[in-house]
Amino acid sequence: MADQLLRFMLQGGGVRGEIVRLEHAWQEVVKRHNLPASVRDRLGELSAAALLLSASLKFEGKLVLQIHGDGPVLLFVVESDAIGGFRATVKCRDDAAIAPDASLADLVNRQGQGRFVVTLDPGREHPDKPPYQGIVPFEGDTVAEVLEHYMQRSEQIPTRMWLASDGHRASGLMLQKLPTQNQQQNDNSWAHCQILADTLNRPEMLQTDNETLLHRLFWESPPRLFDQHACHFRCSCSREKVAAMLQMLGKDEVDSVLVEQGSVQINCDYCNALYRFGADDCEALW
């Protein structure tokens, strides 16, 4: 099934995994952004990765993945939660020439100044806890490699990811090694699972449903399947939030925009919703 994330366990409990497949939810993002193919596909891979990582969150907050770039792309952002909701956006340099087959490193790490930021926002459930943010150097040529390096550095959990995306679908597979009493057997199981998953190719990931893909990979020792939940595009913007932002800007700033443009218009970077505040609307803010 499309737009689903599935958890599973391999090799007698030594390896856990998650697999996600997006179709309609990913197309909701694609139709809102006119992006070069290479930028679109990297955003799709980051979206699948964010859903894989956020599925294990123990709170109702959000996970935000950001890649800040010094190349044609200034910023990738994906925001996701533990119940399958996500939104994504990207900012490119004006008039930047982007090759259709550009790698992630070509897009965001051309001068070696790219960086990767992970933010865990506990949300309203824990108002006393500030968001946690981790910033690490850009390491790797693909979205999967960057995230694998991050997990090794910050979480110290051996993690592998396989990601794929095009204009119609995005998918991802994540495997993580768990501690067990028999370390040698665990090491062998972890190596074997990676070898099997490395046989995946991009068309196979994009065209095959989750359960069929797992069966093809691990038919010798079928995985133990756990809960499956739906994934969906969900933007949290609202007129109330935009009004609060304008109040933070202050009356003088808002009035200056009114004088110059006749109204204040704000576009959501994620869903492209347009919020327009006329003179009466702005006056009501104060």
Side-chain angles (χ1 to χ4, degrees):
M1 295 177 62
D3 302 314
Q4 295 285 330
L5 184 144
L6 174 65
R7 300 170 184 256
F8 59 91
M9 193 77 74
L10 295 169
Q11 300 292 345
V15 179
R16 71 181 176 192
E18 295 169 3
I19 186 169
V20 65
R21 175 177 168 83
L22 303 174
E23 188 170 320
H24 303 299
W26 172 235
Q27 290 169 16
E28 287 293 320
V29 176
V30 171
K31 71 183 183 182
R32 287 172 164 82
H33 303 278
N34 183 21
L35 299 172
S38 56
V39 177
R40 177 201 65 207
D41 294 351
R42 302 298 83 76
L43 186 64
E45 292 167 1
L46 194 65
S47 297
L51 288 166
L52 291 171
L53 292 173
S54 62
S56 59
L57 291 177
K58 304 301 183 184
F59 52 83
E60 296 182 2
K62 296 176 181 178
L63 169 74
V64 183
L65 302 182
Q66 300 178 43
I67 299 179
H68 296 259
D70 62 4
V73 176
L74 294 170
L75 180 67
F76 285 101
V77 184
V78 179
E79 181 183 284
S80 60
D81 58 40
I83 56 175
F86 80 103
R87 61 179 186 169
T89 189
V90 62
K91 292 185 181 295
C92 299
R93 295 185 187 276
D94 293 338
D95 302 322
I98 300 176
D101 58 348
S103 69
L104 180 67
D106 293 333
L107 295 172
V108 299
N109 202 38
R110 186 166 291 182
Q111 306 300 324
Q113 299 300 312
R115 66 188 189 277
F116 178 58
V117 181
V118 177
T119 304
L120 292 174
D121 185 354
R124 292 177 294 179
E125 183 183 357
H126 300 284
D128 56 324
K129 293 184 179 180
Y132 162 81
Q133 188 171 82
I135 303 174
V136 296
F138 186 95
E139 295 180 276
D141 292 327
T142 67
V143 173
E145 290 176 359
V146 170
L147 286 165
E148 288 167 1
H149 283 298
Y150 169 78
M151 293 298 292
Q152 187 62 48
R153 279 174 172 265
S154 63
E155 305 295 331
Q156 298 182 343
I157 301 175
T159 301
R160 289 291 311 279
M161 283 190 175
W162 294 263
L163 305 168
S165 179
D166 61 13
H168 303 284
R169 302 175 187 88
S171 65
L173 170 67
M174 180 174 72
L175 299 179
Q176 292 185 314
K177 180 183 177 184
L178 299 176
T180 61
Q181 292 183 343
N182 191 328
Q183 187 61 41
Q184 182 60 48
Q185 182 180 356
N186 194 22
D187 290 344
N188 293 338
S189 297
W190 174 239
H192 182 62
C193 290
Q194 291 181 81
I195 290 171
L196 294 175
D198 279 335
T199 64
L200 282 172
N201 58 54
R202 185 170 178 266
E204 187 178 21
M205 290 190 68
L206 293 174
Q207 296 168 12
T208 312
D209 67 83
N210 290 341
E211 293 192 27
T212 300
L213 197 62
L214 291 179
H215 176 73
R216 288 181 184 176
L217 287 175
F218 307 114
W219 62 271
E220 293 178 305
S221 181
R224 181 183 176 190
L225 304 181
F226 295 110
D227 58 300
Q228 180 168 253
H229 66 244
C231 299
H232 49 275
F233 173 81
R234 180 169 62 197
C235 188
S236 58
C237 72
S238 68
R239 187 172 181 85
E240 291 73 20
K241 289 183 178 180
V242 174
M245 180 195 70
L246 295 177
Q247 288 172 329
M248 291 179 62
L249 285 176
K251 191 175 188 304
D252 291 343
E253 183 71 21
V254 171
D255 286 347
S256 69
V257 176
L258 279 174
V259 170
E260 182 179 342
Q261 301 182 11
S263 66
V264 178
Q265 299 188 49
I266 304 293
N267 267 94
C268 175
D269 289 336
Y270 293 93
C271 69
N272 281 338
L274 174 63
Y275 297 96
R276 181 183 181 278
F277 288 75
D280 291 342
D281 299 319
C282 292
E283 186 63 30
L285 296 174
W286 324 114

